[in-house]
Amino acid sequence: MPIQVLMPALSPTMEKGNLAKWLKKEGETIKSGDVIAEIETDKATMEVEATDEGTLGKILIPEGTADVAVNTPIATILADGESAADLAKAPAPAKPVAEAAPPAAAKAEAPAPKAAPAPQAVAEPDPEVPAGTEMVTQTIREALRDAMAEEMRRDADVFVMGEEVAEYQGAYKVTQGLLQEFGARRVIDTPITEHGFAGIGVGAAMTGLKPIVEFMTFNFAMQAIDQIINSAAKTLYMSGGQMGCSIVFRGPNGAAARVAAQHSQDYSSWYSNVPGLKVVAPFSAADYKGLLKAAIRDPNPVIFLENEVLYGHTGEVPKLDDFVIPIGKARIVRSGSHVTIISWSNGMTYALKAADELAKDGIEAEVIDLRTLRPMDTETIVNSVKKTGRAVTVEEGWAQSGVGAEIAARIMENAFDYLDAPVARVSGKDVPMPYAANLEKLALPSAAEVVEAAKAVCYR
């Protein structure tokens, strides 16, 4: 029976890729280990090797095809003694689960009793976006790239440095195109030494330049933490206000997918503990752009925590000449009256899914996206809790000394008399991040856990 060649995954997080080129033609003899095609994503290029011997019977996906899903059959190999007539014997691609159950689908078409309508999510308008503004759809990596490009055009003192930011266009393609526009003097590839290039960035900032230092992951920034904390964060105070340090440290923070404990830690609470730093952790594409522009202009060092899982997510970004969001202002993304759910960065994914589920049970959750962890917008949190009387915090980091613990303390200090239940916290489990996919899923928070916590504080 002909053997199917499936679209491989370059990484555990890859869902689709581009079939760039076929290196073998139909009818050519293939040996195990022969490179038959090239596939690429926005991160890397990979050669597809044959694992079986035979003849390339049929190419199913032509070269140049974009967004081919992982595990899609891309070709068939005929074994010795087989011919083109045997191609029909190749197993058909598996159908999606949703299409594999016609009886259930037929049942779904039958009239169902009408359920009470769930409360509709009401998102407050973003005060930074004028009414009637034209919006464009962008991925988060595109929003970040545009923010840096706009600020580099605006201010010649702004430059980007880090591992693979120039020639390779960024490890996550966030700096794509910047080298071509601004040249190697302002888009600088560095050696693999975070302590070294972070120190160079801090020194440049002390002389009046405005570096954007990219870490391939904030896990690697631990090598540079002395430069960030002792040099960048404390300089203004220790110099009596005579010497500033306008610098942005940016890169992915927290869990991605199956990259294990040393590449999955969430440093939100670490950096937000330090006076002298501002810490930003956005969720939406618009916030990524507007807040990065604000961070680059800020005279203080800013830790800009991104999330690898979100880079490919799309969202609407205002089409404005200069869209800047002030640092330190949270946003209510969904209004409600029964419970306040507070999160940031990828934690918002769980918070918003939970709010949808809670609405089905008649619980209207108000969801706050903090956006900035330091300074924290205590006023928005407290005003919401005074309205709902209940609060749940959601974070991917660990619970002990976490950002959720700080939020709970501020609610206790400023809105204790308004609480109808103790503040509940949903967080990552108290273990180093496992590598195995099933264990990693258990180590991270879930929308179900947020629903459970919200119902608990609502006594439901």
Side-chain angles (χ1 to χ4, degrees):
M1 181 179 291
I3 301 163
Q4 288 187 337
V5 180
L6 304 181
M7 181 71 169
L10 295 180
S11 71
T13 59
M14 176 177 162
E15 296 179 354
K16 56 188 177 182
N18 305 328
L19 206 160
K21 186 191 302 183
W22 280 104
L23 302 177
K24 294 285 187 179
K25 298 177 181 178
E26 290 183 359
E28 286 193 36
T29 301
I30 292 173
K31 296 179 181 179
S32 179
D34 283 354
V35 178
I36 61 174
E38 288 183 358
I39 62 171
E40 61 182 22
T41 68
D42 53 4
K43 292 183 184 179
T45 300
M46 175 184 177
E47 295 176 336
V48 180
E49 294 184 359
T51 56
D52 298 276
E53 296 186 354
T55 303
L56 184 58
K58 187 172 182 61
I59 292 173
L60 303 176
I61 304 293
E63 65 179 39
T65 303
D67 297 334
V68 181
V70 169
N71 291 329
T72 299
I74 59 174
T76 54
I77 295 176
L78 297 171
D80 289 341
E82 292 181 329
S83 65
D86 295 304
L87 289 171
K89 300 177 183 178
K95 291 185 178 180
V97 175
E99 297 177 10
K107 189 180 291 185
E109 295 173 3
K114 290 186 178 180
Q120 295 297 308
V122 181
E124 293 192 354
D126 193 329
E128 285 81 32
V129 181
T133 298
E134 181 183 353
M135 309 295 278
V136 294
T137 300
Q138 287 189 308
T139 63
I140 283 172
R141 63 166 54 87
E142 290 169 341
L144 287 167
R145 178 205 60 206
D146 286 357
M148 289 187 284
E150 289 174 14
E151 292 305 300
M152 291 174 77
R153 295 181 196 119
R154 175 181 174 271
D155 188 341
D157 289 336
V158 178
F159 68 97
V160 182
M161 64 188 302
E163 297 156 354
E164 298 186 341
V165 299
E167 296 291 343
Y168 191 66
Q169 309 284 308
Y172 303 97
K173 295 298 180 278
V174 173
T175 53
Q176 195 162 31
L178 297 186
L179 174 65
Q180 286 70 24
E181 180 173 354
F182 300 103
R185 187 169 177 270
R186 297 181 66 193
V187 185
I188 304 167
D189 276 330
T190 66
I192 305 174
T193 168
E194 285 76 14
H195 180 77
F197 67 74
I200 291 172
V202 171
M206 288 178 178
T207 67
L209 297 177
K210 298 175 181 177
I212 305 168
V213 176
E214 176 179 308
F215 295 119
M216 197 175 290
T217 160
F218 264 94
N219 295 271
F220 300 161
M222 290 184 71
Q223 305 295 327
I225 203 155
D226 180 63
Q227 304 286 10
I228 297 170
I229 306 300
N230 278 330
S231 297
K234 298 175 182 177
T235 292
L236 185 66
Y237 176 81
M238 295 184 72
S239 67
Q242 298 179 74
M243 186 183 295
C245 189
S246 180
I247 186 170
V248 176
F249 299 100
R250 52 155 294 270
N253 170 67
R258 296 190 67 199
V259 289
Q262 294 173 332
H263 295 74
S264 299
Q265 189 164 332
D266 185 341
Y267 291 90
S268 301
S269 61
W270 281 46
Y271 291 112
S272 63
N273 178 253
V274 181
L277 294 178
K278 294 186 178 181
V279 183
V280 179
F283 171 65
S284 71
D287 289 347
Y288 266 94
K289 181 177 183 180
L291 284 165
L292 182 55
K293 286 170 67 71
I296 294 168
R297 297 182 190 186
D298 201 288
N300 303 287
V302 179
I303 304 295
F304 199 91
L305 302 174
E306 300 160 11
N307 187 277
E308 182 182 341
V309 174
L310 296 178
Y311 279 144
H313 288 208
T314 58
E316 291 190 333
V317 178
K319 192 176 181 180
L320 297 170
D321 292 336
D322 194 22
F323 175 61
V324 182
I325 295 174
I327 292 174
K329 183 62 181 172
R331 182 178 176 225
I332 298 173
V333 298
R334 177 175 180 141
S335 295
S337 57
H338 295 146
V339 59
T340 300
I341 302 176
I342 307 138
S343 193
W344 57 94
S345 189
N346 198 39
M348 286 293 296
T349 303
Y350 314 115
L352 291 171
K353 286 180 180 178
D356 288 339
E357 291 301 312
L358 290 166
K360 297 175 183 177
D361 292 330
I363 299 174
E364 299 176 24
E366 181 148 291
V367 181
I368 297 176
D369 182 357
L370 277 186
R371 305 196 290 192
T372 301
L373 305 181
R374 186 183 184 103
M376 187 178 290
D377 187 357
T378 307
E379 182 181 3
T380 295
I381 297 169
V382 168
N383 288 341
S384 177
V385 172
K386 285 181 176 179
K387 178 176 69 171
T388 65
R390 300 169 175 87
V392 176
T393 67
V394 185
E395 61 187 314
E396 287 194 332
W398 296 309
Q400 177 160 332
S401 307
V403 178
E406 176 64 24
I407 296 168
R410 295 192 186 200
I411 292 171
M412 183 275 294
E413 292 168 350
N414 296 281
F416 180 79
D417 292 337
Y418 293 86
L419 285 173
D420 294 323
V423 177
R425 291 185 291 160
V426 176
S427 68
K429 309 309 180 292
D430 197 26
V431 293
M433 185 62 69
Y435 171 75
N438 59 329
L439 296 179
E440 181 182 59
K441 184 177 180 180
L442 293 172
L444 289 167
S446 67
E449 290 172 342
V450 181
V451 169
E452 182 181 4
K455 288 185 175 180
V457 298
C458 291
Y459 303 109
R460 294 281 293 271

